[in-house]
Amino acid sequence: AQKVTQAQTEISVVEKEDVTLDCVYETRDTTYYLFWYKQPPSGELVFLIRRNSFDEQNEISGRYSWNFQKSTSSFNFTITASQVVDSAVYFCALKEDQAGTALIFGKGTTLSVSS
Amino acid sequence: DAGITQSPRYKITETGRQVTLMCHQTWSHSYMFWYRQDLGHGLRLIYYSAAADITDKGEVPDGYVVSRSKTENFPLTLESATRSQTSVYFCASTPIPAGYNGYTFGSGTRLTVV
């Protein structure tokens, strides 16, 4: 069965610190897709990134970077030089190619960045 | 405006009442989903739909009913609301599963059952 684990429930950092949010997934499928979403205090869910299982190249977008490692079934998210606006709940999600159409979410990590 | 709209944003209802949460999208996306968000559980799938008149159960479907007579609408009905259904409900849509732009979510409906 597919599963997504975000072991860090809450993380607190001070502005300008780097922070990594962990995501570990389980799947039997060889083709699958991984996602990260951000939920700021206003409550909406904002899509950040999608990765497929054949693309292990790391991604960088500004202060955000993602490290995909199939060998450890992990898709970790790093924020460099964190800012107060990064305070949010971050969700990792998985979609298997052969198992339905919906995203399966982890329980989320609440990131608090203080000034 | 184009997008995915949920209504109402907030709803308080009494135990045993029927309540319907609305979801409307303007993109003609084939796939639509309902999730509930609860502290400690993340987002859990209630129901999803691959096209008009095609719906299927997700992880937590008990107590909920959906319909999809038109591509753009995907209402979620709580037939007899219970306190355990107090939650934030999110609707989502996508043109294809696992597309490059991810799944787009509505702003959510915060439902309180008293």
Side-chain angles (χ1 to χ4, degrees), chain B residues 7-35:
Chain B
S7 60
R9 287 297 309 275
Y10 303 92
K11 176 74 176 178
I12 300 175
T13 192
E14 294 180 341
T15 302
R17 290 195 179 268
Q18 182 180 84
V19 59
T20 296
L21 310 183
M22 304 301 294
C23 179
H24 175 77
Q25 51 106 350
T26 60
W27 297 298
S28 297
H29 286 174
S30 294
Y31 298 88
M32 296 187 74
F33 309 85
W34 275 106
Y35 288 87

Short mmCIF file of all heavy atoms in Angstrom, two decimals, chain B residues 7-35:
data_model
loop_
_atom_site.label_atom_id
_atom_site.label_comp_id
_atom_site.label_asym_id
_atom_site.label_seq_id
_atom_site.Cartn_x
_atom_site.Cartn_y
_atom_site.Cartn_z
N SER B 7 -18.10 26.63 -1.81
CA SER B 7 -19.04 27.39 -1.01
C SER B 7 -19.85 26.44 -0.13
O SER B 7 -20.10 25.30 -0.51
CB SER B 7 -19.97 28.20 -1.92
OG SER B 7 -20.70 27.34 -2.77
N PRO B 8 -20.23 26.91 1.08
CA PRO B 8 -19.80 28.17 1.69
C PRO B 8 -18.37 28.08 2.21
O PRO B 8 -17.78 27.00 2.20
CB PRO B 8 -20.80 28.32 2.84
CG PRO B 8 -21.09 26.91 3.25
CD PRO B 8 -21.08 26.10 1.97
N ARG B 9 -17.79 29.16 2.64
CA ARG B 9 -16.46 29.13 3.25
C ARG B 9 -16.55 28.62 4.69
O ARG B 9 -15.65 27.93 5.15
CB ARG B 9 -15.84 30.52 3.25
CG ARG B 9 -15.36 31.00 1.91
CD ARG B 9 -14.24 30.12 1.35
NE ARG B 9 -13.14 29.88 2.27
CZ ARG B 9 -12.11 30.69 2.42
NH1 ARG B 9 -12.03 31.81 1.73
NH2 ARG B 9 -11.14 30.38 3.27
N TYR B 10 -17.62 28.98 5.36
CA TYR B 10 -17.84 28.55 6.73
C TYR B 10 -19.29 28.08 6.87
O TYR B 10 -20.19 28.67 6.28
CB TYR B 10 -17.59 29.69 7.72
CG TYR B 10 -16.21 30.28 7.62
CD1 TYR B 10 -15.97 31.38 6.81
CD2 TYR B 10 -15.14 29.74 8.34
CE1 TYR B 10 -14.70 31.92 6.70
CE2 TYR B 10 -13.88 30.28 8.24
CZ TYR B 10 -13.66 31.37 7.42
OH TYR B 10 -12.40 31.90 7.31
N LYS B 11 -19.46 27.04 7.67
CA LYS B 11 -20.80 26.51 7.88
C LYS B 11 -20.87 25.90 9.27
O LYS B 11 -19.98 25.12 9.66
CB LYS B 11 -21.14 25.47 6.82
CG LYS B 11 -22.48 24.77 6.98
CD LYS B 11 -23.62 25.67 6.60
CE LYS B 11 -24.95 24.95 6.68
NZ LYS B 11 -26.09 25.82 6.34
N ILE B 12 -21.93 26.27 9.98
CA ILE B 12 -22.22 25.62 11.25
C ILE B 12 -23.56 24.92 11.10
O ILE B 12 -24.53 25.53 10.65
CB ILE B 12 -22.27 26.63 12.42
CG1 ILE B 12 -20.93 27.35 12.55
CG2 ILE B 12 -22.63 25.93 13.72
CD1 ILE B 12 -20.92 28.47 13.58
N THR B 13 -23.62 23.65 11.46
CA THR B 13 -24.86 22.91 11.33
C THR B 13 -25.06 22.05 12.57
O THR B 13 -24.13 21.84 13.36
CB THR B 13 -24.85 22.04 10.07
OG1 THR B 13 -26.17 21.54 9.83
CG2 THR B 13 -23.90 20.87 10.21
N GLU B 14 -26.26 21.57 12.71
CA GLU B 14 -26.56 20.74 13.88
C GLU B 14 -26.46 19.27 13.53
O GLU B 14 -26.66 18.85 12.39
CB GLU B 14 -27.97 21.06 14.38
CG GLU B 14 -28.11 22.48 14.91
CD GLU B 14 -29.53 22.77 15.39
OE1 GLU B 14 -30.45 22.03 14.99
OE2 GLU B 14 -29.70 23.73 16.14
N THR B 15 -26.17 18.50 14.54
CA THR B 15 -26.12 17.04 14.38
C THR B 15 -27.42 16.53 13.78
O THR B 15 -28.51 16.96 14.19
CB THR B 15 -25.88 16.38 15.74
OG1 THR B 15 -24.66 16.88 16.30
CG2 THR B 15 -25.79 14.88 15.61
N GLY B 16 -27.29 15.68 12.80
CA GLY B 16 -28.45 15.07 12.17
C GLY B 16 -28.96 15.79 10.93
O GLY B 16 -29.76 15.23 10.18
N ARG B 17 -28.54 16.99 10.73
CA ARG B 17 -28.99 17.74 9.55
C ARG B 17 -28.21 17.32 8.31
O ARG B 17 -27.07 16.87 8.38
CB ARG B 17 -28.84 19.23 9.77
CG ARG B 17 -29.82 19.80 10.78
CD ARG B 17 -29.86 21.31 10.68
NE ARG B 17 -30.81 21.88 11.62
CZ ARG B 17 -32.08 22.13 11.34
NH1 ARG B 17 -32.56 21.86 10.14
NH2 ARG B 17 -32.86 22.66 12.25
N GLN B 18 -28.84 17.51 7.18
CA GLN B 18 -28.17 17.29 5.91
C GLN B 18 -27.53 18.60 5.47
O GLN B 18 -28.12 19.67 5.60
CB GLN B 18 -29.16 16.84 4.84
CG GLN B 18 -28.51 16.54 3.50
CD GLN B 18 -29.52 16.09 2.45
OE1 GLN B 18 -30.17 16.92 1.80
NE2 GLN B 18 -29.66 14.79 2.28
N VAL B 19 -26.32 18.49 4.99
CA VAL B 19 -25.64 19.70 4.51
C VAL B 19 -24.87 19.37 3.24
O VAL B 19 -24.31 18.27 3.10
CB VAL B 19 -24.70 20.27 5.60
CG1 VAL B 19 -23.64 19.25 6.00
CG2 VAL B 19 -24.04 21.56 5.16
N THR B 20 -24.87 20.30 2.31
CA THR B 20 -24.17 20.11 1.04
C THR B 20 -23.11 21.16 0.87
O THR B 20 -23.37 22.36 1.01
CB THR B 20 -25.15 20.16 -0.14
OG1 THR B 20 -26.06 19.06 -0.03
CG2 THR B 20 -24.41 20.04 -1.47
N LEU B 21 -21.92 20.71 0.57
CA LEU B 21 -20.80 21.59 0.27
C LEU B 21 -20.62 21.61 -1.25
O LEU B 21 -20.59 20.56 -1.89
CB LEU B 21 -19.53 21.09 0.95
CG LEU B 21 -19.63 20.78 2.45
CD1 LEU B 21 -18.27 20.38 2.99
CD2 LEU B 21 -20.23 21.91 3.21
N MET B 22 -20.47 22.82 -1.77
CA MET B 22 -20.41 22.96 -3.22
C MET B 22 -18.97 23.15 -3.69
O MET B 22 -18.14 23.76 -3.02
CB MET B 22 -21.26 24.14 -3.66
CG MET B 22 -22.71 24.08 -3.23
SD MET B 22 -23.53 22.59 -3.84
CE MET B 22 -23.51 22.92 -5.60
N CYS B 23 -18.71 22.63 -4.90
CA CYS B 23 -17.42 22.82 -5.54
C CYS B 23 -17.66 23.05 -7.02
O CYS B 23 -18.33 22.23 -7.67
CB CYS B 23 -16.52 21.61 -5.34
SG CYS B 23 -14.91 21.78 -6.13
N HIS B 24 -17.11 24.12 -7.54
CA HIS B 24 -17.30 24.49 -8.95
C HIS B 24 -15.96 24.86 -9.55
O HIS B 24 -15.22 25.67 -8.98
CB HIS B 24 -18.27 25.67 -9.05
CG HIS B 24 -18.43 26.19 -10.43
ND1 HIS B 24 -19.20 25.57 -11.39
CD2 HIS B 24 -17.89 27.29 -11.03
CE1 HIS B 24 -19.14 26.27 -12.51
NE2 HIS B 24 -18.36 27.32 -12.32
N GLN B 25 -15.66 24.28 -10.72
CA GLN B 25 -14.41 24.65 -11.40
C GLN B 25 -14.73 25.06 -12.83
O GLN B 25 -15.64 24.54 -13.45
CB GLN B 25 -13.39 23.50 -11.35
CG GLN B 25 -13.92 22.16 -11.82
CD GLN B 25 -13.44 21.72 -13.16
OE1 GLN B 25 -12.80 22.47 -13.90
NE2 GLN B 25 -13.75 20.46 -13.50
N THR B 26 -13.94 26.01 -13.31
CA THR B 26 -14.22 26.62 -14.61
C THR B 26 -13.31 26.11 -15.72
O THR B 26 -13.39 26.58 -16.85
CB THR B 26 -14.08 28.15 -14.52
OG1 THR B 26 -12.75 28.46 -14.12
CG2 THR B 26 -15.07 28.72 -13.52
N TRP B 27 -12.44 25.16 -15.40
CA TRP B 27 -11.48 24.70 -16.41
C TRP B 27 -11.95 23.49 -17.22
O TRP B 27 -11.26 23.04 -18.13
CB TRP B 27 -10.16 24.31 -15.74
CG TRP B 27 -9.46 25.41 -15.06
CD1 TRP B 27 -8.98 26.55 -15.62
CD2 TRP B 27 -9.12 25.48 -13.67
NE1 TRP B 27 -8.35 27.32 -14.66
CE2 TRP B 27 -8.42 26.69 -13.46
CE3 TRP B 27 -9.33 24.63 -12.58
CZ2 TRP B 27 -7.95 27.08 -12.21
CZ3 TRP B 27 -8.85 25.01 -11.33
CH2 TRP B 27 -8.17 26.21 -11.16
N SER B 28 -13.07 22.90 -16.83
CA SER B 28 -13.52 21.64 -17.43
C SER B 28 -12.54 20.50 -17.17
O SER B 28 -12.37 19.61 -18.02
CB SER B 28 -13.73 21.80 -18.95
OG SER B 28 -14.75 22.73 -19.22
N HIS B 29 -11.88 20.54 -16.03
CA HIS B 29 -11.01 19.44 -15.64
C HIS B 29 -11.85 18.17 -15.49
O HIS B 29 -12.92 18.19 -14.92
CB HIS B 29 -10.31 19.73 -14.31
CG HIS B 29 -9.21 20.73 -14.44
ND1 HIS B 29 -8.54 21.22 -13.34
CD2 HIS B 29 -8.64 21.30 -15.53
CE1 HIS B 29 -7.61 22.07 -13.74
NE2 HIS B 29 -7.66 22.13 -15.07
N SER B 30 -11.29 17.06 -15.96
CA SER B 30 -12.02 15.79 -15.85
C SER B 30 -12.09 15.29 -14.41
O SER B 30 -13.09 14.74 -13.98
CB SER B 30 -11.34 14.73 -16.71
OG SER B 30 -11.43 15.06 -18.08
N TYR B 31 -10.99 15.45 -13.67
CA TYR B 31 -10.87 14.82 -12.37
C TYR B 31 -11.14 15.81 -11.25
O TYR B 31 -10.58 16.91 -11.22
CB TYR B 31 -9.47 14.21 -12.19
CG TYR B 31 -9.17 13.13 -13.19
CD1 TYR B 31 -8.61 13.44 -14.43
CD2 TYR B 31 -9.46 11.80 -12.91
CE1 TYR B 31 -8.36 12.45 -15.35
CE2 TYR B 31 -9.19 10.81 -13.82
CZ TYR B 31 -8.64 11.14 -15.04
OH TYR B 31 -8.39 10.15 -15.96
N MET B 32 -11.97 15.37 -10.32
CA MET B 32 -12.25 16.19 -9.15
C MET B 32 -12.23 15.32 -7.90
O MET B 32 -12.49 14.11 -7.97
CB MET B 32 -13.60 16.91 -9.29
CG MET B 32 -13.63 17.90 -10.44
SD MET B 32 -15.12 18.90 -10.51
CE MET B 32 -14.84 20.06 -9.15
N PHE B 33 -11.92 15.97 -6.78
CA PHE B 33 -11.67 15.23 -5.54
C PHE B 33 -12.24 16.01 -4.36
O PHE B 33 -12.28 17.23 -4.37
CB PHE B 33 -10.15 15.06 -5.32
CG PHE B 33 -9.41 14.52 -6.50
CD1 PHE B 33 -8.97 15.38 -7.50
CD2 PHE B 33 -9.15 13.17 -6.61
CE1 PHE B 33 -8.28 14.88 -8.60
CE2 PHE B 33 -8.47 12.67 -7.71
CZ PHE B 33 -8.04 13.53 -8.70
N TRP B 34 -12.59 15.27 -3.33
CA TRP B 34 -12.93 15.86 -2.04
C TRP B 34 -12.01 15.26 -0.97
O TRP B 34 -11.87 14.04 -0.86
CB TRP B 34 -14.37 15.59 -1.65
CG TRP B 34 -15.35 16.55 -2.21
CD1 TRP B 34 -16.23 16.35 -3.22
CD2 TRP B 34 -15.57 17.90 -1.76
NE1 TRP B 34 -16.97 17.48 -3.45
CE2 TRP B 34 -16.59 18.44 -2.56
CE3 TRP B 34 -14.99 18.70 -0.77
CZ2 TRP B 34 -17.05 19.74 -2.41
CZ3 TRP B 34 -15.45 19.99 -0.60
CH2 TRP B 34 -16.47 20.50 -1.42
N TYR B 35 -11.39 16.16 -0.21
CA TYR B 35 -10.55 15.76 0.92
C TYR B 35 -11.08 16.43 2.19
O TYR B 35 -11.69 17.50 2.13
CB TYR B 35 -9.10 16.24 0.73
CG TYR B 35 -8.30 15.53 -0.32
CD1 TYR B 35 -8.35 15.93 -1.65
CD2 TYR B 35 -7.48 14.46 0.02
CE1 TYR B 35 -7.58 15.29 -2.62
CE2 TYR B 35 -6.71 13.81 -0.94
CZ TYR B 35 -6.77 14.24 -2.25
OH TYR B 35 -6.01 13.60 -3.20
#
